[in-house]
Amino acid sequence: MGDSWVDSAERIGADLHLEPAGPGGRRAALIRALREAVRSGRLAPGTRLPPYRSLAADLGVARNTVADAYAELVAEGWLTARQGSGTRVADRAAPLRRTERSPVRAPARARGPRHDLLQGTPDASSFPRAAWLASYRRALQQAPNEVFGPGDPAGRPELREALTEYLARARGVRTEPGRVVICSGFAHALRLLFAPGGAGLRGPLAVEAYGLGFHRELLAAAGVRTVALPLDEDGARVDRLGRERAVLLTPAHQFPTGGPLHAGRRTAVVDWARARGGLLVEDDYDGEFRYDRRPVGAVQGLDPDRVIYIGSVSKSLSPAVRLGWMVLPERHVDGVLAAKGEREAWASVLDQLSLADLIASGAYDRHVRRMRQRYRARRDRLVEALADRAPHVEVTGVAAGLHAVLRLPPGTERSVLEAAAAQGVALDGLSAFRHPSTDLAAHDGLVVGYATPSEHAYGAALDALCRVLSSAPAPPRPGPASG
Ligand SMILES: Cc1ncc(COP(=O)(O)O)c(C=O)c1O
């Protein structure tokens, strides 16, 4: 019914606060209240007023009182009455005083760079809209009524079951649905783990010397001190773990430098956790996207009691979906659920069911396979184009993931970023990811999100990047890690 009288009646009934015995009687009070509502903008131009009878019933006045008040306000020009469309607030009865607002501006993105190579998002134009819609429709059709209730903080059983099967098959994760907790993504999972009471994780937390600043800030805001672990060509130096009780790693694909954690270090970190009664928090943010070999499985499979495994759909589908999962050692399940609250307040239950259907129907696997091929082709184009047009630039971290790291000579990162900005190319420098207190030597480089543009925009973005780099200076030394 759009702006039906029902809406208006509710607003008027609730907002007018008539004084039945006010000066001049009820008719005058109603006129004053309506006039004030129009003048102040509470009733916007065009708003349809309720029929006499309903407003009279709502306010406990006679029908004629309302009819008279409307007639008076029509005569004054505040309202209009037209056959068939009822009584409405007149268009010219705009509020007398409006708060000055700053002019509407085009969103920043519209004025943004022409070539978006910022890491962080998959190709937004490839979101599997049709498959998601089909899953959503099926999920909605089959959902029992209890789905529309407040929800269980553990997440829908359908999704926890689908994930248990999928993660075992695709990522080597060993679990059962009771240990899976649905959340809104990795960032949410971190908040839950370090919330008071949560999984009971206490700082300091060891993290990789290069990582996402946003996650470090989030941890700092939760009162967690992070300690930087150096990186080398085999990944994080887990032999440097000290008195910490927990370590956060990206073992399948170090973020952002790009190599997998060496097999020996995977077992070493699990041994460390066993010996210390500690925990590995495993961020498996893009584990499905490995191009040249079989995917590196999750470390969680080595010891499900010593690893908290976290994944999300942010790289496989879109960060807009806000769905993720934690696979927990049994002793941490209750604490995390308590931190999440009594009801599902984070992850839409309908989206959870939709994702469960997407996975169970095989559409999720098909999408990931399709995107893997597409990103591999883009990665190949990037490597070939740079070999051809900027051969002095070393491309690393390209065996997996949605971004590459281009090594630059020391001291040149800033000027190359400035040149990129001048060409309308948006990307990050490697230094943006460096832990502020690491003693690891700074390495200059670029982090290129080659998955970010749509298919049709990728060629032009690559071309612009090559233009920037073809004039960049001489080759770098080997970096802290490569893939
Ligand atoms: C290192 C890393 N971890 C995790 C994520 C996923 O974060 P979220 O699930 O909160 O979107 C990302 C970004 O997608 C990331 O870059």
Side-chain angles (χ1 to χ4, degrees), residues 85-106:
S85 77
T87 307
R88 290 176 183 270
V89 177
D91 281 343
R92 63 193 167 85
L96 292 183
R97 271 170 296 142
R98 270 189 189 279
T99 322
E100 281 304 316
R101 293 213 176 89
S102 42
V104 177
R105 297 210 175 94

Side-chain angles (χ1 to χ4, degrees), residues 193-205 223-225 244-246:
L193 285 178
F194 292 94
L201 298 197
R202 302 276 175 273
L205 171 72
V224 180
R225 188 166 70 83
E244 303 83 16
R245 297 289 299 278

Side-chain angles (χ1 to χ4, degrees), residues 1 4 14 33 58 61 76 83 120-121 178 226 232 300 317 384 483:
M1 261 209 262
S4 70
D58 274 359
V61 299
E76 288 179 13
Q83 195 72 36
T121 40
T226 55
D232 64 18
Q300 192 270 3
L317 290 174
E384 281 160 24

Side-chain angles (χ1 to χ4, degrees), residues 13-376:
D15 288 347
L16 286 185
H17 306 300
L18 277 181
E19 289 178 33
R26 293 178 169 200
R27 176 178 165 280
L30 179 54
I31 289 171
R32 269 198 310 277
L34 279 170
R35 199 189 283 125
E36 182 45 36
V38 174
R39 200 202 314 259
S40 68
R42 239 184 327 137
L43 286 177
T47 302
R48 189 169 176 172
L49 296 185
Y52 310 145
R53 191 178 325 196
S54 354
L55 186 57
D58 274 359
L59 301 177
V61 299
R63 185 178 171 282
N64 276 351
T65 306
V66 178
D68 287 354
Y70 280 12
E72 174 70 31
L73 290 167
V74 168
E76 288 179 13
W78 295 100
L79 303 180
T80 58
R82 217 168 289 137
Q83 195 72 36
S85 77
T87 307
R88 290 176 183 270
V89 177
D91 281 343
R92 63 193 167 85
L96 292 183
R97 271 170 296 142
R98 270 189 189 279
T99 322
E100 281 304 316
R101 293 213 176 89
S102 42
V104 177
R105 297 210 175 94
R109 224 164 224 296
R111 301 193 309 268
R114 278 172 291 133
H115 307 292
D116 190 353
L117 290 172
L118 286 168
Q119 72 73 35
T121 40
D123 173 357
S125 70
S126 297
F127 184 82
R129 294 180 194 230
W132 182 266
L133 212 52
S135 286
Y136 199 87
R137 181 174 291 123
R138 265 196 304 274
L140 209 53
Q141 273 161 353
Q142 292 161 11
N145 287 344
E146 44 115 355
V147 158
F148 302 96
D152 178 346
R156 282 301 299 180
E158 293 90 335
L159 180 55
R160 290 186 283 127
E161 274 157 30
L163 282 169
T164 299
E165 182 276 327
Y166 173 78
L167 294 174
R169 173 166 59 73
R171 304 296 305 124
V173 170
R174 289 194 284 149
T175 190
E176 34 101 20
R179 290 186 182 199
V180 179
V181 174
I182 303 304
C183 57
S184 77
F186 181 81
H188 184 209
L190 267 193
R191 288 190 174 97
L192 291 172
L193 285 178
F194 292 94
L201 298 197
R202 302 276 175 273
L205 171 72
V207 298
E208 293 155 323
Y210 279 77
L212 206 56
F214 168 63
H215 292 159
R216 286 193 297 263
E217 284 158 22
L218 187 155
L219 288 162
V224 180
R225 188 166 70 83
T226 55
V227 179
L229 272 187
L231 296 168
D232 64 18
E233 60 282 359
D234 290 334
R237 292 281 308 270
V238 294
D239 59 314
R240 295 279 193 90
L241 280 166
R243 301 171 62 82
E244 303 83 16
R245 297 289 299 278
V247 54
L248 168 61
L249 298 177
T250 47
H253 185 225
Q254 203 287 320
F255 183 88
T257 61
L261 186 64
H262 187 276
R265 294 195 182 166
R266 289 160 59 92
T267 48
V269 71
V270 170
D271 288 345
W272 166 85
R274 285 177 180 153
R276 253 202 91 59
L279 270 171
L280 163 62
V281 180
E282 179 170 21
D283 176 1
D284 196 31
Y285 66 106
D286 68 359
E288 285 107 338
F289 295 102
R290 187 157 191 93
Y291 306 124
D292 301 328
R293 281 171 274 149
R294 268 169 33 82
V296 178
V299 177
Q300 192 270 3
L302 297 180
D303 191 342
D305 280 334
R306 289 285 144 210
V307 181
I308 292 178
Y309 171 91
I310 305 171
S312 80
V313 299
S314 292
K315 300 287 193 206
S316 57
L317 290 174
S318 153
V321 177
R322 300 318 306 151
L323 273 182
W325 43 88
M326 314 171 74
V327 176
L328 296 158
E330 194 162 3
R331 64 189 179 286
H332 290 299
V333 173
D334 286 347
V336 168
L337 288 180
K340 212 177 157 201
E342 279 178 18
R343 46 196 289 167
E344 179 53 82
W346 304 94
S348 154
V349 173
L350 298 181
D351 287 346
Q352 291 186 39
L353 288 176
S354 191
L355 179 60
D357 183 277
L358 202 72
I359 296 171
S361 67
Y364 186 77
D365 282 74
R366 283 194 294 281
H367 176 70
V368 168
R369 271 202 301 276
R370 194 167 47 246
M371 296 316 292
R372 196 185 292 135
Q373 279 167 9
R374 190 168 292 178
Y375 295 147
R376 181 197 286 128

